[in-house]
Structure formats: structure tokens, C-alpha cells
């Protein structure tokens, strides 16, 4: 999900939780006896490092690099978010639509890869200097319980710009990682632990697997802050852009909007008609109101007609949710009681370039409560239990460092 601004603002404020010293003896624990289920982590939107190598036919600005001899960190490298440099970053990060293949792909001459598959270091911190924390508090806590990085706790980062329509290769790698982790840990079933967009992609993944495979390899799925029915916050991205962690007076949000609109993962996370009624006005303007029933008009009016094609491309991989139960034991952990945007109202003029009046409802600050709780639609559609656990006043990113959530997860693992 596109919550990168919230991710970086809030994660930079997190403090790595202290390690619990609960071992009664100085002798190290025998992990094979202690760890009952290995953990594989799937991050959310913006939660994986990206590296790029350039050999571009042209550049958007004279000061942008056209060719590099090696891969460099594209996300997150704070220096690339600064004025002028951000123009080069946008041109390197954007996706382009290929009419011949009906697919999206990297910009010409840009090769992007995801480092650290299988390890946790590239999702614990999103930059090379360890300043931008993400999963670090939770992984640190897992290690304090006896888990070992790269052995009993592993990670499956991915290119979060793409929606599920483009993740076939990733799903193959994820399946192999699960099977490998299972076999190297004495055939212990795996706990999938996912956050935000990673929860939605994992739902698609599980729906692609056979029941026998899931029965053999998956013990349980702990889905944290899953936007299973999308998020209203996506409208902000398409209308105003998302300035990440950079103040507006330094970075124009319309600059990064050019890249963010091309990501099919963002299209996929627009509010679902399963959870939002066609009579519910989401964006109110002087000339037209927008609901889940007129997305095509919305894309036309904001000057992004390509959005209509991209929306057809992402399809309905998890719609309706009631027909896409994962058929594994599920624990949906979510924050609530945090003001979350649910409606925009604009005045006269080019409203798609102005700031709206916002109406707020319940949620975790990024994802609306109705979407976070949508996993309850599986309760009567599968034999495996579905448990929903709310953490009041806990935000979308803060939950990864929340002690109450950690204690709940510990009880599930042990």
C-alpha cells in the first residue's frame, strides 16, 4: 500500500525496543527446542530496499546520471529526495506501460533489483546507514526470544511498485523460501507475518497454493495492518502526491506524484466497491462527486487517463474477499482509534492541484477500519479460525514497535 510518507515520518521516530533478557541461565538456548515455528516476514509498501543500475538512452535533466557501472541504493537514499535530485529519482522510479504486452515495466535503461531476499537486514532498516527503521523493533524482539536472523526469522522483500498482477516471479521465490525454511528447521511449519500491502499480496499468494501445500508448510498467518479492501488514503496520492518525509516547502508533492501514479500497487489499493457503497461520496468537487463507481471519470478529470488502463490491468485478484479465503489459520492485527481520512472536499479551481478539506473516521491513520477488519469475511468461508485483534490508538507503522502487539505475537509463536 502506498503509505510511504507515513512509513518514513513515523519510523524515523521509532526507538529500537530493548532486548528482553529472560534466559534464566547464561548458557545459550537450544533454538531447536525453543522455536516451534520459523517466521517469514513480508513487508508493506515502501518497506523493501531497491537498488538501480542505469544505462539510459536519455535523461530528464542535464544533472541526472545517465549511466552507472554498478548498482546503487535507490530506495531509501535520503540525498536523492532533496531538491533537484528528486527529479532524477522520479524518472528512475517510474513505471511505464507497454501497450504491446499490456504490462508495466521499468523506464528505459533502468534496471531495478531488490536486495537481501531471505535476510531481514534490508527490511529492518530501509537505508544503508541504518537511520530509517521499519521492521527493526519487531525483529529485535524476535531475536530476544531466541530467533536467529536468516535461519528461524527470514524476510521476503519485493518491488512494491507492482501490484499482484506482476508478482509471479516473486511468488515463486516466496514459495521456495517457505519450503527451504521449513526443511532447514526440522520440518517445522512456517508462520507468515505480514504488514500492510504485504498482507494483500500474501492473500493472493495463498489463494494460488493448493490446500495440501498449505497444510504441510503453513502453521498460521499473522496479518498486521492489512488493507484488504483498499484505503481512502490512495486518493491523496493521486490528487496531491505524497511528499514522503520531506516538508512541502522543500519538495513539491506534484513532483513525486508523477512516479506514484504509475505504480500498479497504488491502483490496486484504491477503495473496494465491496466495502464502500456506490452512494458514498469519497471526493466532493464543485462539478462532480466521485465514488467507487466512477474511477474512470476520476482518472480523466485529474489528467491521468492511463489510470483507466492500469486499473483494468490489476484486475480483481481478491474481489470479492468472501470468495478468496486463504484457508489457513489467520490472525488479523490492526490499530484503531486513530483519525483516518475518509472524504475530501474541494473548492473551485483546479482542485486536483489543491489541498482539500478532510473528513476523518476510524482507522490506523493510513487504512480505514472497515478495510482492516475485512478479514472477518473469511470467518464463515473456511474451517480454519480467523481472529481479529485491535490495538487502540496504535498507528499503521507504530504497531511494529508496539509492546502490546509484541506480547500478543509472542503468545502466538510460543
Amino acid at each position: 500500500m502506498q503509505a510511504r510518507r507515513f512509513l518514513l515520518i513515523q519510523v524515523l521516530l521509532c526507538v529500537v525496543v530493548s532486548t528482553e533478557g529472560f534466559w534464566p541461565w547464561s548458557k545459550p538456548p537450544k533454538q531447536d527446542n525453543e522455536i516451534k515455528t520459523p517466521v517469514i516476514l513480508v513487508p508493506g509498501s515502501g518497506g523493501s530496499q531497491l537498488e538501480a543500475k542505469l544505462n539510459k538512452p536519455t535523461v530528464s535533466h542535464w544533472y541526472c546520471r545517465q549511466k552507472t557501472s554498478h548498482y546503487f541504493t535507490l530506495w531509501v537514499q535520503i540525498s536523492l529526495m532533496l531538491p533537484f535530485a528528486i527529479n532524477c529519482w522520479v524518472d528512475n522510479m517510474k513505471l511505464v506501460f507497454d501497450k504491446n504486452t499490456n504490462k508495466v515495466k521499468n523506464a528505459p535503461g533502468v534496471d531495478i533489483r531488490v536486495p537481501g531476499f531471505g535476510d531481514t537486514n534490508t527490511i529492518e532498516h530501509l537505508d544503508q546507514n541504518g537511520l530509517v527503521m521499519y521492521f527493526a523493533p519487531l525483529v529485535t524482539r524476535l531475536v530476544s526470544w531466541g530467533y536467529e536472523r536468516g535461519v528461524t526469522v527470514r524476510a521476503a522483500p519485493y518491488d512494491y511498485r507492482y501490484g499482484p498482477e506482476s508478482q509471479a516471479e516473486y511468488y515463486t521465490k516466496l514459495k521456495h523460501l517457505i519450503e527451504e525454511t521449513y526443511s532447514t528447521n526440522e520440518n517445522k511449519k512456517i508462520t507468515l507475518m505480514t504488514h500492510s500491502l504485504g498482507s494483500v499480496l500474501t492473500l493472493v499468494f495463498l489463494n494460488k497454493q493448493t490446500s495440501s501445500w498449505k497444510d504441510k508448510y503453513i502453521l498460521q498467518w499473522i496479518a498486521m495492518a492489512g488493507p484488504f479492501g483498499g484505503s481512502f488514503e490512495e486518493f491523496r496520492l493521486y490528487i496531491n502526491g505524497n511528499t514522503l518525509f520531506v516538508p512541502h516547502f522543500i519538495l513539491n508533492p506534484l513532483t513525486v506524484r508523477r512516479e506514484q501514479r504509475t505504480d500498479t500497487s497504488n491502483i490496486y489499493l484504491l477503495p473496494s466497491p465491496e466495502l464502500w457503497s456506490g452512494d458514498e461520496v469519497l471526493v466532493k468537487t464543485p462539478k462532480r462527486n466521485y465514488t467507487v463507481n466512477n474511477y474512470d471519470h476520476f482518472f480523466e478529470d485529474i489528467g491521468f487517463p492511463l489510470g483507466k488502463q492500469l486499473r483494468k490491468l490489476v484486475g480483481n485478484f481478491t474481489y470479492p474477499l468472501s470468495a478468496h479465503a486463504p484457508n489457513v489459520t489467520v490472525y488479523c492485527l490492526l490499530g484503531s482509534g486513530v483519525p483516518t481520512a475518509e472524504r475530501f472536499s474541494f473548492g473551485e479551481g483546479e482542485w486536483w492541484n489543491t489541498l482539500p478539506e478532510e473528513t476523518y473516521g476510524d482507522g490506523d491513520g493510513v487504512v480505514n477500519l472497515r478495510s482492516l477488519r475485512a478479514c472477518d469475511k473469511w470467518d464463515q468461508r473456511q474451517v480454519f479460525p480467523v481472529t481479529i485483534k485491535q490495538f487502540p490508538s496504535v498507528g499503521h507503522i507504530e504497531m511494529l514497535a508496539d509492546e502490546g502487539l509484541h506480547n500478543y505475537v509472542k503468545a502466538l509463536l510460543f
Side-chain angles (χ1 to χ4, degrees):
M1 112 107 240
Q2 177 55 274
R4 300 170 207 169
R5 177 184 61 173
F6 294 92
L7 175 68
L8 291 173
I9 290 176
Q10 297 172 18
V11 167
L12 282 168
L13 298 176
C14 290
V15 177
V16 178
V17 294
S18 60
T19 299
E20 283 187 31
F22 64 89
W23 300 112
W25 305 283
S26 58
K27 183 179 179 180
K30 294 181 179 180
Q31 289 193 354
D32 286 343
N33 294 332
E34 295 293 337
I35 302 302
K36 296 178 172 60
T37 170
V39 169
I40 292 180
L41 304 170
V42 182
S45 180
S48 304
Q49 291 184 16
L50 300 179
E51 295 178 340
K53 187 177 181 181
L54 307 179
N55 187 18
K56 305 176 69 173
T58 60
V59 292
S60 58
H61 297 79
W62 63 267
Y63 49 80
C64 297
R65 285 188 292 180
Q66 186 172 358
K67 185 176 182 179
T68 62
S69 59
H70 59 278
Y71 285 90
F72 63 95
T73 299
L74 185 62
W75 180 263
V76 174
Q77 187 173 159
I78 296 176
S79 61
L80 299 182
M81 302 291 105
L82 299 178
F84 298 104
I86 190 64
N87 296 313
C88 310
W89 180 87
V90 166
D91 202 51
N92 292 332
M93 277 283 288
K94 69 181 181 183
L95 296 176
V96 296
F97 179 67
D98 188 335
K99 294 181 180 178
N100 296 323
T101 62
N102 198 37
K103 295 180 180 179
V104 290
K105 60 183 181 180
N106 292 328
V110 179
D111 180 19
I112 293 181
R113 68 183 186 184
V114 182
F117 190 84
D119 298 322
T120 62
N121 59 309
T122 59
I123 71 165
E124 290 188 61
H125 297 88
L126 301 179
D127 67 320
Q128 296 292 330
N129 297 319
L131 299 175
V132 184
M133 288 192 300
Y134 181 36
F135 259 97
L138 183 54
V139 173
T140 300
R141 187 58 63 93
L142 287 167
V143 171
S144 77
W145 298 336
Y147 278 84
E148 182 180 349
R149 290 178 173 90
V151 181
T152 49
V153 55
R154 310 187 72 182
Y158 56 93
D159 192 334
Y160 53 82
R161 298 175 301 160
Y162 296 93
E165 85 293 338
S166 301
Q167 298 290 0
E169 181 179 352
Y170 171 71
Y171 286 146
T172 298
K173 292 175 62 177
L174 176 58
K175 185 175 183 179
H176 177 73
L177 180 66
I178 291 171
E179 293 172 349
E180 177 191 323
T181 306
Y182 170 89
S183 63
T184 56
N185 285 278
E186 299 183 347
N187 296 345
K188 294 176 181 177
K189 290 187 178 184
I190 304 300
T191 291
L192 293 172
M193 197 177 303
T194 65
H195 182 248
S196 195
L197 173 64
S199 298
V200 179
L201 295 185
T202 297
L203 174 59
V204 177
F205 168 78
L206 290 172
N207 271 272
K208 291 179 177 291
Q209 312 311 315
T210 64
S211 295
S212 59
W213 186 90
K214 288 182 281 192
D215 290 344
K216 178 177 180 179
Y217 291 105
I218 305 300
L219 175 66
Q220 58 191 353
W221 175 24
I222 303 175
M224 301 178 290
F228 293 109
S231 172
F232 176 84
E233 189 63 34
E234 293 300 305
F235 279 105
R236 187 191 309 278
L237 179 147
Y238 282 99
I239 297 171
N240 294 132
N242 197 327
T243 59
L244 311 176
F245 56 92
V246 183
H248 284 200
F249 68 86
I250 296 177
L251 174 61
N252 187 338
L254 303 185
T255 301
V256 291
R257 185 182 70 178
R258 290 188 290 112
E259 180 276 326
Q260 293 165 342
R261 284 181 171 183
T262 68
D263 294 353
T264 55
S265 58
N266 290 327
I267 290 274
Y268 194 74
L269 289 178
L270 283 165
S272 167
E274 185 175 6
L275 302 182
W276 275 267
S277 166
D279 298 327
E280 185 174 358
V281 175
L282 300 177
V283 178
K284 181 179 177 59
T285 74
K287 293 184 178 180
R288 196 199 302 266
N289 294 331
Y290 301 93
T291 72
V292 292
N293 286 344
N294 60 353
Y295 280 127
D296 284 355
H297 286 142
F298 172 76
F299 288 127
E300 285 283 356
D301 292 346
I302 65 173
F304 186 60
L306 177 61
K308 295 187 295 182
Q309 291 175 280
L310 297 183
R311 188 162 178 266
K312 293 178 182 177
L313 179 64
V314 300
N316 294 316
F317 288 88
T318 56
Y319 176 86
L321 284 169
S322 56
H324 290 84
N327 289 310
V328 297
T329 297
V330 182
Y331 295 91
C332 286
L333 313 187
L334 56 108
S336 63
V338 182
T340 305
E342 64 179 16
R343 183 178 179 180
F344 289 160
S345 298
F346 291 89
E348 296 288 345
E350 293 185 345
W351 57 269
W352 55 91
N353 290 326
T354 62
L355 296 177
E357 177 184 337
E358 302 185 24
T359 301
Y360 296 92
D362 202 349
D364 65 8
V366 176
V367 183
N368 309 91
L369 187 62
R370 71 180 84 179
S371 184
L372 293 168
R373 290 188 57 88
C375 46
D376 62 5
K377 291 182 176 293
W378 306 326
D379 192 33
Q380 303 298 321
R381 302 303 293 261
Q382 64 175 39
V383 297
F384 299 92
V386 177
T387 303
I388 298 176
K389 174 66 174 177
Q390 292 189 196
F391 295 86
S393 303
V394 176
H396 190 74
I397 299 300
E398 289 93 341
M399 70 184 320
L400 297 178
D402 184 73
E403 185 175 359
L405 182 140
H406 290 176
N407 292 336
Y408 188 82
V409 167
K410 183 179 180 182
L412 299 180
L413 298 178
F414 291 92

